[in-house]
């Protein structure tokens, strides 16, 4: 496909080539195969999670452990999106004659459930625990370290 054309496979029996410009003019959605942004977000979320867990070990702060878990869930979400991208590239077969392209949307949906489900449940749990046993804030030094390192990552 070095001639600048895009190969469109509608089914196993129907294939045609069109130019990128024609695909854009017809409104076809062309997904970029560049995963750099996903890998960058994965690395950043992993580093931020590690930073929050380290800060929690020094401060024994429940909010830091909550944030560390949140960043770990974000890291897992990036992995699920990469998995969905891989699965969506599978060629059509007998059970999926139009391919697996829509599977990316399924894994994106799973990611949204994880974000809202786990995040909401953890927030409710932490809220109830702090109502039952309130705790005064101690030295905020480690909180600022986490904020600065999160900005860097």
């Amino acid at each position: 496909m070095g001639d600048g054309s895009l190969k469109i496979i509608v089914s196993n029996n129907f294939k045609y080539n069109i130019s990128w410009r024609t695909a854009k003019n017809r409104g076809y959605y062309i997904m970029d195969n560049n995963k750099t942004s996903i890998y960058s977000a994965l690395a950043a979320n992993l580093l931020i999670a590690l930073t929050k867990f380290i800060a929690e070990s020094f401060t024994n702060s429940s909010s830091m452990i909550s944030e560390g878990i949140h960043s770990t869930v974000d890291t897992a979400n990036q992995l699920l999106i990469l998995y969905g991208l891989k699965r969506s590239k599978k060629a059509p077969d007998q059970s999926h004659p139009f391919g697996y392209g829509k599977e990316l949307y399924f894994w994106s949906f799973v990611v949204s459930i994880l974000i809202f489900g786990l995040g909401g449940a953890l927030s409710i749990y932490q809220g109830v625990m702090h109502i039952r046993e309130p705790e005064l804030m101690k030295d905020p030094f480690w909180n600022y370290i986490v904020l600065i390192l999160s900005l860097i990552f």
Side-chain angles (χ1 to χ4, degrees), residues 9-12 31 81-108:
I9 301 174
V10 178
S11 71
N12 288 339
M31 190 163 77
I81 289 173
L82 285 171
Y83 179 71
L85 279 171
K86 181 180 178 183
R87 294 274 303 170
S88 69
K89 302 271 190 242
K90 282 181 65 174
D93 58 17
Q94 192 68 22
S95 64
H96 295 84
F98 296 110
Y100 290 80
K102 300 281 185 185
E103 193 159 332
L104 178 60
Y105 298 112
F106 169 76
W107 290 106
S108 298

Side-chain angles (χ1 to χ4, degrees), residues 62-119:
S62 61
S63 63
M64 270 304 147
I65 196 159
S66 174
E67 282 298 312
I69 292 170
H70 175 255
S71 294
T72 304
V73 170
D74 285 344
T75 303
N77 291 340
Q78 300 301 323
L79 292 171
L80 284 174
I81 289 173
L82 285 171
Y83 179 71
L85 279 171
K86 181 180 178 183
R87 294 274 303 170
S88 69
K89 302 271 190 242
K90 282 181 65 174
D93 58 17
Q94 192 68 22
S95 64
H96 295 84
F98 296 110
Y100 290 80
K102 300 281 185 185
E103 193 159 332
L104 178 60
Y105 298 112
F106 169 76
W107 290 106
S108 298
F109 177 67
V110 170
V111 164
S112 68
I113 289 172
L114 285 173
I115 289 172
F116 291 114
L118 288 177

Side-chain angles (χ1 to χ4, degrees), residues 55-56 58-65 126-139 143:
E56 186 275 330
F58 284 108
T59 63
N60 199 23
S61 168
S62 61
S63 63
M64 270 304 147
I65 196 159
Q126 290 291 326
V128 169
M129 293 304 294
H130 283 282
I131 289 172
R132 293 177 69 196
E133 297 177 27
E135 186 178 310
L136 293 176
M137 188 175 92
K138 298 176 184 166
D139 184 21
N143 295 343

Side-chain angles (χ1 to χ4, degrees), residues 28-69:
Y28 294 142
Y29 176 69
I30 310 300
M31 190 163 77
D32 190 8
N33 200 17
N34 188 356
K35 298 175 190 167
T36 306
S37 60
I38 297 172
Y39 285 119
S40 299
L42 177 71
N45 283 328
L46 186 61
L47 290 171
I48 291 169
L50 287 173
T51 303
K52 289 175 180 177
F53 283 128
I54 290 169
E56 186 275 330
S57 70
F58 284 108
T59 63
N60 199 23
S61 168
S62 61
S63 63
M64 270 304 147
I65 196 159
S66 174
E67 282 298 312
I69 292 170

